[in-house]
Amino acid sequence: MAARRPVAPASPVRTERNARDAARARAGGPGHVRIIGGQWKRTRLAVASKPGLRPTPDRVRETLFNWLGQDLSGLYCLDAFAGSGALGFEAASRHAAHVTLVERDRQLCAQLQANARQLQARTITVRQGDGLHALQTRPVAATTDGAAGWDVIFLDPPYAAGLERPALQLARQSLAPHGLLYLESSQRWDDAALQPLGWQRLHYLKAGAVHAHVLRLVAA
């Protein structure tokens, strides 16, 4: 019988960090997300522990910003159901002109504001409010081509809330004609379901339980 290869012991620092994060999660304290690209790459941001909160996985965010582009200079972005803020902070890290994060939960909103202060991010606005209402608003400044609409909208509503369809309908009113919309869902949306709502799918990825889509408006 072949001798078993000895297993290297876990790093004491990593073990201590994992144990600390697990203890915080059990106590209702914050976990963390890590920005994966741009000027704040590798920065860890605290995330308040909330039932059902699902920060977009690293792999999905990496693929998403390969689709959207690594340089978002000049673009106005809306993260309508911000949660951990992972998507909005990634966009700001990639030099978006401005990112608006909207979150209904008071504790999550306070954490988003604290993270924006940690980054000294002057291009991020955090608002406590309803994501569907936010989708009926437009950026204060004109977007890159002068159209009054968002260049990028991130939609990651709570899976059980049934908000995807109304959110897609409202987003048509506030997205710039050239803009792109990211939809994160528990189900796959194909063109047969999207086209009656005025959308066309450009990109799609399934990672575990996450179905990630990039959509654009169907031409009139």
Side-chain angles (χ1 to χ4, degrees):
M1 181 181 295
R4 289 187 177 181
R5 176 177 295 178
V7 177
S11 163
V13 174
R14 181 175 298 177
T15 301
E16 180 182 354
R17 180 185 297 164
N18 291 344
R20 185 170 62 247
D21 286 350
R24 284 175 174 172
R26 289 192 298 270
H32 292 87
V33 294
R34 178 176 58 92
I35 297 178
I36 60 173
Q39 62 182 322
W40 301 316
K41 184 176 181 179
R42 299 188 183 91
T43 302
R44 284 163 57 89
L45 299 175
V47 178
S49 178
K50 284 284 182 176
L53 184 63
R54 304 167 287 96
T56 301
D58 287 11
R59 175 194 168 192
V60 175
R61 278 183 279 142
E62 182 177 7
T63 301
L64 170 60
F65 285 95
N66 286 335
W67 290 338
L68 297 179
Q70 296 298 326
D71 185 358
L72 302 188
S73 296
L75 302 187
Y76 288 79
C77 305
L78 170 67
D79 192 350
F81 301 90
S84 70
L87 296 171
F89 286 122
E90 290 283 359
S93 184
R94 290 163 169 81
H95 307 289
H98 199 88
V99 179
T100 299
L101 302 172
V102 179
E103 172 53 49
R104 178 189 290 273
D105 185 274
R106 181 177 299 177
Q107 182 183 358
L108 292 178
C109 192
Q111 187 64 70
L112 293 173
Q113 292 169 334
N115 288 342
R117 289 193 297 269
Q118 173 189 333
L119 296 171
Q120 299 181 349
R122 298 181 179 179
T123 59
I124 292 177
T125 297
V126 178
R127 295 177 181 168
Q128 184 179 355
D130 177 64
L132 293 181
H133 177 74
L135 290 169
Q136 300 174 58
T137 67
R138 298 168 185 264
V140 174
T143 55
T144 51
D145 64 359
W150 302 101
D151 296 292
V152 180
I153 293 177
F154 299 105
L155 285 184
D156 183 13
Y159 284 172
L163 298 176
E164 293 171 9
R165 184 173 294 270
L168 287 171
Q169 291 171 328
L170 290 171
R172 291 187 61 207
Q173 306 170 22
S174 56
L175 186 71
H178 65 272
L180 295 174
L181 180 143
Y182 170 72
L183 171 64
E184 189 169 316
S185 174
S186 63
Q187 64 179 338
R188 176 177 176 267
W189 285 75
D190 58 20
D191 282 338
L194 290 167
Q195 286 182 355
L197 299 175
W199 296 97
Q200 178 184 2
R201 197 178 75 189
L202 292 180
H203 302 287
Y204 170 76
L205 167 71
K206 183 178 186 298
V210 173
H211 295 260
H213 315 70
V214 170
L215 313 178
R216 68 180 176 188
L217 293 167
V218 174

